[in-house]
Amino acid sequence: MQSWHGCRWFAVSLLCAAVAGPALAAPDGPSGLPAPGAVLHLSKGFIDDPLELSADGDRVYYVATDGATFAELRAAEVPAPVAGASRGEFKILGSVPGLPIAATQILLLPEERVLVMTREAGTESQAPGPVTGTAYGFKGQPPRRVGPASEMVLSTVAGAPALVLFSRPPNQQGLPAQTGEVRIQALHAGTLKPLLQRSYRLKDGALMTTQGPVLPLYYLDDHLTLVARQPGEYDRKTDLRQPDRFVVLDLLSGKVQRGPSIADPATLVETTRLHEKHPGESLFATYNPEFTQVFIQSSQASQPEKDLRREAKLPRKLSLYDPDSLRTQPAPGVLFLSLTVDPVNAAAVARKKADKDLIDLCEFDLKSGETRRLIELPGNKRPSRWVVGPSGRLALLRKHTGFSRGGSDLEFYDLKMTDVPQRAASEAH
């Protein structure tokens, strides 16, 4: 089983062409910062948040909508760079109208199909709501609906791309449900036919397994793995109850692996709290406002007692950034992360001169623990969303100001990451 941060890129690489496309030129703009190699601009409606790039970076998949009356899935060819200007002609390779207005995510599937996902709004006591997906094709395939589920992710099962549907009872009054059923299902990413599935009964907050009840802590590997706690057994010889221990449950096979005793319950509480904010993820970043630090949290299901937390040394003092601008994307061997300079940070206020809202996009190398800035871009006084493709191509969506969804301009850059395809390939094998 692969870790989460390798699965998505492995799956995308299998679903799309693996040959890197022509590099986009990145001449310096007026500010000395890189100019985009191409810009996709919509004159009608806007580009919604869900974005994906093909493995070679030559195609972009997005949703065009006005947020009220129409939504259309499009596949466009990213053009060669335009000298000086950056508004190349984007050839539309395919389009599918009639999408849900509020799409939340898209996933690339084989045979030129794209899974468009929507999520129901949660309530004050239950959040978030279930997600439903519909697979649309650009070759006349009929739509195929899957779900609903609590979470839906593209992962790797038995060495092949699979769509994983994970369902558990919703929280009640902000607390985990005590009864119900936890279900996991893997679908073939191409046919969407079931590969494996299993369910577990939840009783008094404990999950019933072949090795007895376990108390869920958090999920890893795209929800394919559960890290849980098993109460210590009573030792008659010493008349003492043994310490609680870790157990790891492979949700698809039902196999339970007993781990070591829990030596530091306080640290486990903190680790569990962090994982609850990043459900199913084995790699993520957290911002610690008390110590003004960004930590990279990486977990291995085989060693739950050894969750690794390392500080990411960013190009600037963390106090200069807007902490709410932290964005991340896992990839084989690295975690991409970005932060945007807060123009009115404390230092800028002290000298009575606003800073430029610059975006620092970096990669954190999981092996060396080093952080490297890949590109520095102007923020343009607008929020942004980005995705990095396996070829190292960056798609940056300049979002609306004062409106939470989408924007009218999608910029493309090539990052200096010549080892990305090789790294993805080695991770896959």
Side-chain angles (χ1 to χ4, degrees):
M1 181 183 301
Q2 280 190 293
S3 61
W4 189 92
H5 60 274
C7 291
R8 181 175 176 274
W9 274 31
F10 174 38
V12 171
S13 298
L14 288 177
L15 303 181
C16 305
V19 179
L24 290 179
D28 287 345
S31 62
L33 299 175
V39 178
L40 173 59
H41 175 79
L42 294 191
S43 56
K44 179 184 178 182
F46 60 88
I47 302 167
D48 213 346
D49 286 359
L51 299 170
E52 281 291 351
L53 285 167
S54 63
D56 55 19
D58 283 353
R59 284 154 291 158
V60 60
Y61 300 84
Y62 65 96
V63 176
T65 181
D66 63 358
T69 63
F70 84 93
E72 182 175 285
L73 176 66
R74 294 177 183 172
E77 183 180 33
V78 180
V82 179
S86 299
R87 298 196 177 221
E89 292 296 328
F90 282 74
K91 180 181 179 181
I92 302 300
L93 302 175
S95 63
V96 180
L99 261 65
I101 293 297
T104 56
Q105 187 180 358
I106 61 176
L107 297 174
L108 301 187
L109 302 177
E111 301 299 327
E112 287 291 313
R113 291 205 297 176
V114 178
L115 186 74
V116 179
M117 300 158 59
T118 58
R119 186 183 290 277
E120 294 181 16
T123 65
E124 293 184 1
S125 60
Q126 297 182 0
V131 63
T132 302
T134 303
Y136 298 94
F138 295 106
K139 297 181 178 179
Q141 306 100 317
R144 172 76 181 276
R145 186 175 182 271
V146 293
S150 301
E151 302 291 343
M152 200 176 298
V153 294
L154 191 63
S155 186
T156 304
V157 174
L163 185 66
V164 174
L165 279 65
F166 170 79
S167 300
R168 65 176 176 180
N171 292 354
Q172 301 293 334
Q173 303 300 323
L175 298 175
Q178 298 296 298
T179 60
E181 189 178 61
V182 172
R183 300 189 305 277
I184 186 80
Q185 182 180 29
L187 307 179
H188 189 281
T191 63
L192 296 181
K193 293 182 179 179
L195 291 175
L196 296 168
Q197 57 185 343
R198 190 176 288 267
S199 62
Y200 301 86
R201 186 165 60 95
L202 194 64
K203 180 181 179 181
D204 297 329
L207 208 66
M208 302 294 109
T209 75
T210 56
Q211 301 297 317
V214 299
L215 299 171
L217 294 172
Y218 50 86
Y219 296 87
L220 300 174
D221 303 330
D222 300 328
H223 297 91
L224 294 173
T225 304
L226 169 67
V227 176
R229 175 170 61 89
Q230 193 167 47
E233 300 173 349
Y234 176 70
D235 187 342
R236 293 186 176 182
K237 292 183 179 180
T238 61
D239 195 27
L240 294 173
R241 183 169 296 279
Q242 300 300 305
D244 294 353
R245 66 171 58 248
F246 285 104
V247 293
V248 177
L249 171 64
D250 184 317
L251 289 171
L252 283 177
S253 69
K255 182 180 179 181
V256 178
Q257 175 187 336
R258 299 188 72 187
S261 299
I262 297 174
D264 189 349
T267 299
L268 179 59
V269 170
E270 173 64 14
T271 300
T272 301
R273 184 186 67 81
L274 291 175
H275 279 282
E276 287 175 349
K277 296 181 179 180
H278 301 270
E281 298 182 29
S282 299
L283 176 66
F284 54 86
T286 62
Y287 173 76
N288 188 318
E290 182 179 356
F291 301 106
T292 59
Q293 292 173 305
V294 169
F295 290 105
I296 308 302
Q297 186 96 10
S298 55
S299 306
Q300 292 185 353
S302 59
Q303 295 180 305
E305 75 281 4
K306 294 184 179 180
D307 257 33
L308 187 58
R309 187 182 306 178
R310 293 178 285 180
E311 182 181 1
K313 298 291 186 179
L314 297 165
R316 312 171 202 266
K317 292 181 179 179
L318 199 61
S319 58
L320 301 179
Y321 295 108
D322 175 6
D324 293 333
S325 68
L326 177 63
R327 303 288 182 269
T328 63
Q329 178 188 315
V334 301
L335 178 69
F336 298 116
L337 68 156
S338 73
L339 279 162
T340 303
V341 173
D342 182 358
V344 290
N345 59 74
V349 171
R351 65 174 180 270
K352 299 181 180 179
K353 183 179 180 180
D355 284 336
K356 294 181 179 180
D357 61 331
L358 299 174
I359 302 172
D360 285 334
L361 176 63
C362 307
E363 68 170 0
F364 180 87
D365 189 292
L366 297 179
K367 185 176 181 179
S368 66
E370 296 180 355
T371 306
R372 181 170 70 96
R373 180 164 59 192
L374 298 173
I375 196 169
E376 180 186 24
L377 297 171
N380 293 347
K381 300 180 180 180
R382 294 164 64 182
S384 61
R385 186 199 184 288
W386 52 264
V387 60
V388 178
S391 68
R393 184 154 290 170
L394 166 69
L396 176 73
L397 178 63
R398 301 287 186 178
K399 298 186 61 174
H400 295 124
T401 300
F403 184 55
S404 61
R405 288 175 55 189
S408 58
D409 294 297
L410 182 60
E411 301 176 354
F412 295 87
Y413 303 84
D414 270 355
L415 304 177
K416 295 179 180 179
M417 299 166 53
T418 55
D419 61 331
V420 168
Q422 291 85 353
R423 185 165 54 206
S426 64
E427 183 83 7
H429 292 86

